[in-house]
Amino acid sequence: MRTTNVWLVVIVWVTVGWSSCTGRFVVEKNNLRVTSPESIRGVYECALGNFGVPQYGGSMSGAVVYPKTNQKACKNFDDFEISFRSRVAGLPTFVLVDRGDCYFTLKAWNAQRAGAATILVADNRPEQLITMDAPEDETSDADYLQNITIPSALVSRSLGSAIKTAIAHGDPVHISLDWREALPHPNDRVAYELWTNSNDECGSKCDAQIRFLKRFKGAAQILEKGGYTRFTPHYITWYCPEAFLASRQCKTQCINGGRYCAPDPEQDFSRGYNGKDVIIQNLRQACFFRVTNESGKPWLWWDYVTDFAIRCPMKEEKYNKKCADQVIQSLGVDVKKIDKCIGDIDANAENPVLKEEQVAQVGKGSRGDVTILPTIVINNRQYRGKLQRSAVLKALCSGFRETTEPPICLTEDIETNECLQNNGGCWEDKTTNITACRDTFRGRVCQCPIVQGVKFLGDGYTHCEASGALRCGINNGGCWKQTQMGKTYSACRDDHSKGCKCPPGFIGDGLKECKDVNECEEKTACQCRDCKCKNTWGSYECSCSGSLLYIREHDICINRDARGDFSWGVIWIIIMGLGAAALGAYTVYKYRIRTYMDSEIRAIMAQYMPLDNNPNTQLSSQLELENAKYVESDFNLFLLS
């Protein structure tokens, strides 16, 4: 057993040494702003702890407390009758503790149980910030690790000393932690990776990973099917040192001539499965993703890994190809394509898939090397915190550009809807329940909305106005509208893109009021000599005395009979005009026909008859005489008809 552990240390050491030569481990950080006292006010860096729930996309302000006893937080604060629970309407409590003597996770757990909102760990040596991680040698009594929910941060020794000095002098220390820029959020699609392992016999970490896969599957598939994310699974591999290639350990824990290895699941070569079994299953899962991704269904990977964990566990001795193939077939994927992707695991040659995994493990740009399992990388930054559905989903949602988040990011268990409180301070039309407040994962924005195809314009805070051809269909475009005695008038005009204008017969601002205009009193209508005027709402009525008839278009009274005679006279004039026009058109038509026939006759006669010196003149005169007779005859026929 001791020999096994030594061999595993050699493999891990060689792998880490190789990685450090070509990449680096990056400590993920966020901003810490000291707002008081004045002596230490400023912005500082702090390192995110790889446990608890960092508030990605948000911020938190609080008052710092440095306990007088249990300053390393290695014991329960209840034993010292210390509580960090904030008073009503008071700021949350940030507990500052010293590094040393116990695990970071135990310090966080004790602070959380005492009511702290977050824990700040002051480093005990002058060095670059490091990532606080959960302990590797977890025991059965370390179940509290899954219950840590407060965020944590490591601060430098110098900042920790400055905070302690200020508190000792009686100066209140107020700090704001800001995670809004902890992850990049450039556009409307988030790229993320999950570095994982198919091993299910590595203790509580493996159990936590399997629970996460099962619980996160639904959200992951919703995001992937909707095109909101681009997900890629990855697998860490080790290689066997050249000096150990012929050893039994390399042959049982590695494939492809010692190029790709995995630690023994039980860390015992005498029983159970070997690292070789794990690396083959890792390769099968990677190939399953490749095949389904090429077919346009990458989300099936989540179904495969969760189903495999349920149906093919190591404890039941089903962790093998036969069980894996059954799961693959049940998902409708071609097993032959998976096998082709896996290739020959016994060949002393590179495996293209696993080779790419080794290359991807090395840090590039701002990401850094992947050395912790499991690790989630979001927009090329490593996620730090608890492997929990809501915590990871919150981090993913912080990777979207504001206002482009999918609906799942705006649910109550993920974020707080700032629009529910005082409408977020934005413009609101309570009549139609239209608001400019738009809830986002990071907070809210005041943005004039688009409702039923109608765009509202304005600053979003104090004013939004409907604009466009359809605007009158929504709250009448915000304009005045009233109905009386079955008549409805509106100040909204569909032919105007914006603005309100009282209709004819009214006067006012068009927004809140339009008053009826009395055309009779203002003498703008019914001004003829025999006219009588009566004002109505929005209009007027005019009448004439006796048998006279009122013509509104001309504001005149005329005799009914005269109007009839006048009308028939106009009709006869129109009829005669139409007849004259028809006769003229007919005459022109006949003339053009005769002219055309003359030209044809002249052309024929020129071929068969000798002509004198001036034939055109004689022929033309004769034809004109004939045309005159024809026209006269046609006109007589027209008159007779």
Side-chain angles (χ1 to χ4, degrees), residues 83-201:
S83 174
F84 302 122
R85 291 173 178 81
S86 58
R87 287 173 286 185
V88 178
L91 286 173
T93 302
F94 291 2
V95 178
L96 177 68
V97 301
D98 295 325
R99 179 183 177 183
D101 291 357
C102 61
Y103 293 128
F104 293 118
T105 51
L106 183 58
K107 298 175 187 289
W109 176 239
N110 287 332
Q112 177 178 310
R113 287 194 294 173
T118 190
I119 182 173
L120 305 175
V121 179
D123 204 347
N124 56 3
R125 64 193 73 171
E127 62 180 357
Q128 295 292 324
L129 294 175
I130 64 170
T131 295
M132 299 184 295
D133 195 15
E136 289 292 336
D137 53 340
E138 297 174 10
T139 58
S140 58
D141 60 348
D143 293 338
Y144 69 85
L145 292 174
Q146 299 304 317
N147 297 322
I148 299 175
T149 58
I150 64 172
S152 59
L154 180 75
V155 300
S156 66
R157 187 175 75 166
S158 59
L159 177 59
S161 299
I163 294 174
K164 296 173 190 176
T165 301
I167 293 175
H169 290 164
D171 296 328
V173 179
H174 292 165
I175 283 179
S176 176
L177 288 172
D178 191 349
W179 293 271
R180 286 175 293 184
E181 300 303 322
L183 290 175
H185 44 96
N187 50 46
D188 59 355
R189 194 176 187 191
V190 172
Y192 74 107
E193 307 166 359
L194 173 61
W195 288 83
T196 182
N197 198 317
S198 62
N199 180 10
D200 63 8
E201 281 292 311

Side-chain angles (χ1 to χ4, degrees), residues 434-591:
I434 297 175
T435 174
C437 188
R438 186 172 179 182
D439 182 39
T440 67
F441 179 77
R442 285 182 166 78
R444 66 95 178 99
V445 294
C446 294
Q447 188 180 79
C448 291
I450 297 177
V451 181
Q452 298 177 12
V454 178
K455 186 175 183 179
F456 284 73
L457 302 177
D459 60 10
Y461 293 92
T462 60
H463 174 70
C464 285
E465 181 181 351
S467 174
L470 302 176
R471 66 192 185 95
C472 295
I474 300 178
N475 193 30
N476 198 48
C479 303
W480 171 89
K481 184 178 181 180
Q482 192 172 343
T483 300
Q484 286 188 15
M485 300 179 66
K487 291 184 178 180
T488 301
Y489 289 97
S490 169
C492 185
R493 306 289 183 87
D494 283 326
D495 57 346
H496 290 68
S497 62
K498 61 180 181 178
C500 303
K501 184 179 180 181
C502 290
F506 292 88
I507 188 172
D509 60 8
L511 291 172
K512 297 181 179 179
E513 185 180 45
C514 283
K515 292 183 178 180
D516 175 55
V517 175
N518 192 328
E519 292 84 357
C520 299
E521 290 184 359
E522 296 187 3
K523 298 183 179 180
T524 58
C526 302
Q527 296 300 303
C528 57
R529 183 179 59 184
D530 298 315
C531 293
K532 295 181 180 180
C533 184
K534 178 184 177 182
N535 185 59
T536 61
W537 185 66
S539 185
Y540 61 90
E541 294 179 357
C542 281
S543 60
C544 298
S545 59
S547 61
L548 297 178
L549 180 66
Y550 179 70
I551 305 299
R552 185 164 184 159
E553 292 80 2
H554 303 284
D555 193 26
I556 189 173
C557 291
I558 64 173
N559 188 283
R560 293 179 183 271
D561 296 336
R563 182 176 178 274
D565 294 342
F566 170 77
S567 300
W568 278 109
V570 171
I571 292 173
W572 278 110
I573 292 174
I574 293 173
I575 293 174
M576 293 179 66
L578 291 174
L583 178 61
Y586 180 76
T587 302
V588 172
Y589 168 75
K590 296 295 291 183
Y591 175 76

